[in-house]
Amino acid sequence: MAALVFSRPATTNVPIGTSLWHARAAGICVEISENGIVANPINSLNRLISCSLNPTVKGLVWGRGQNPLKEEIKAFTDQCLPDGNGMPFAYEQIDLRSSLSNRVDSVNTLCSKLVSKLPSPLRSALEADALMLCSTLTSLCPSSPWLTVQLECVGHNNCSRWHQDMYVGRALISYTGPGTWLVDDSNVDFEMLDKTLGMTSEISDRLIVPDRSKVHEAGTNSVCLLKGNSWMDIQGLGVTHKSPVVERDGEGRVREK
């Protein structure tokens, strides 16, 4: 499974993935809100941007339909995952504070470098996606100092546990497999996030989110926007989410349905 990941890292010193319990133990005031929702489905980029301005919306899913390059991308990622172990294929980051005068040029260069090692038939389409998501995040989070982009082949190294990010925010596209799972605040047992630490995801999943039918599942090629704990004006924690539960073959590749 191939994923395109864009993030606006937080300026906080709290490590990414810090649990609710650890945040409290570190003296960080964390307000629990049960008002946050996931906007799904979204039918356009403009709608995604406008809905994201609503402080009660913590996650958004824009279903874009089938990717015409899906099979080409899948063939490429199969070569990257001979043993089922995922890997960041490309990673780039820029400090936006040092490029205020030529931010557009800096982002264009960033996205071009990101896809430079891809097979030529894939470069233009993925670069266009990269530019679109970078433009979206920089416009929604103008005060965030960093922009990180990553093109990743996802194998076993996924986030299988329900959690929130300490990032400002992330935007994801899964090109060949199912996308991220998200859930409204009202369907999360927040105390179980810490009480289930150390348990397998098979056990913790149903304790943290008891009603499986309430999960929002991003489809292949969907744009998924995740507000993190450091998103400006976030109410409580960021959106609760996890990697999808998928069937894998003997080599760790996602079985397509």
Side-chain angles (χ1 to χ4, degrees):
M1 181 166 65
L4 191 59
V5 182
F6 295 81
S7 62
R8 304 303 303 273
T11 55
T12 176
N13 291 323
V14 179
I16 295 167
T18 296
S19 71
L20 180 61
W21 184 90
H22 284 101
R24 288 171 172 168
I28 301 169
C29 181
V30 180
E31 175 189 357
I32 300 300
S33 167
E34 294 189 357
N35 299 322
I37 63 171
V38 176
N40 178 33
I42 298 293
N43 58 14
S44 70
L45 176 60
N46 287 338
R47 182 64 175 161
L48 181 143
I49 293 172
S50 63
C51 286
S52 68
L53 300 176
N54 184 336
T56 64
V57 175
K58 295 186 175 182
L60 303 98
V61 179
W62 169 26
R64 303 192 301 171
Q66 187 75 9
N67 188 326
L69 294 174
K70 178 181 176 180
E71 293 305 317
E72 288 85 348
I73 296 174
K74 187 175 185 302
F76 171 71
T77 55
D78 283 348
Q79 296 176 9
C80 295
L81 297 172
D83 57 1
N85 292 315
M87 53 172 274
F89 175 77
Y91 176 94
E92 301 290 340
Q93 184 180 69
I94 57 173
D95 184 345
L96 295 171
R97 295 166 296 186
S98 63
S99 58
L100 292 177
S101 60
N102 61 340
R103 176 172 291 189
V104 174
D105 290 341
S106 297
V107 171
N108 287 343
T109 300
L110 183 80
C111 294
S112 179
K113 289 174 63 177
L114 182 75
V115 302
S116 62
K117 296 181 181 180
L118 287 174
S120 56
L122 305 180
R123 287 177 202 155
S124 60
L126 269 66
E127 183 174 358
D129 277 349
L131 287 168
M132 177 264 293
L133 294 186
C134 283
S135 175
T136 300
L137 281 179
T138 52
S139 65
L140 291 174
C141 310
S143 62
S144 186
W146 293 94
L147 176 66
T148 302
V149 297
Q150 182 167 299
L151 186 61
E152 184 175 7
C153 298
V154 181
H156 296 301
N157 63 332
N158 53 19
C159 301
S160 60
R161 176 182 167 81
W162 288 109
H163 66 285
Q164 303 87 25
D165 290 336
M166 290 303 298
Y167 289 113
V168 173
R170 287 197 293 162
L172 314 172
I173 299 174
S174 179
Y175 285 108
T176 62
T180 303
W181 287 8
L182 310 87
V183 68
D184 299 344
D185 283 350
S186 60
N187 296 310
V188 179
D189 187 332
F190 286 97
E191 293 301 322
M192 281 296 172
L193 285 167
D194 293 308
K195 290 181 179 179
T196 58
L197 285 175
M199 297 182 184
T200 64
S201 59
E202 288 80 4
I203 297 174
S204 65
D205 271 6
R206 63 177 181 268
L207 295 174
I208 298 171
V209 180
D211 191 343
R212 171 70 178 77
S213 68
K214 301 295 186 181
V215 175
H216 299 269
E217 300 181 25
T220 304
N221 201 44
S222 294
V223 173
C224 192
L225 179 63
L226 312 175
K227 293 183 181 180
N229 294 353
S230 299
W231 188 276
M232 183 178 64
D233 298 330
I234 194 74
Q235 298 181 0
L237 298 170
V239 65
T240 302
H241 63 284
K242 69 184 295 292
S243 296
V245 175
V246 296
E247 294 183 11
R248 299 181 183 275
D249 62 21
E251 296 180 339
R253 298 184 180 90
V254 175
R255 294 185 186 274
E256 300 286 343
K257 292 185 178 181

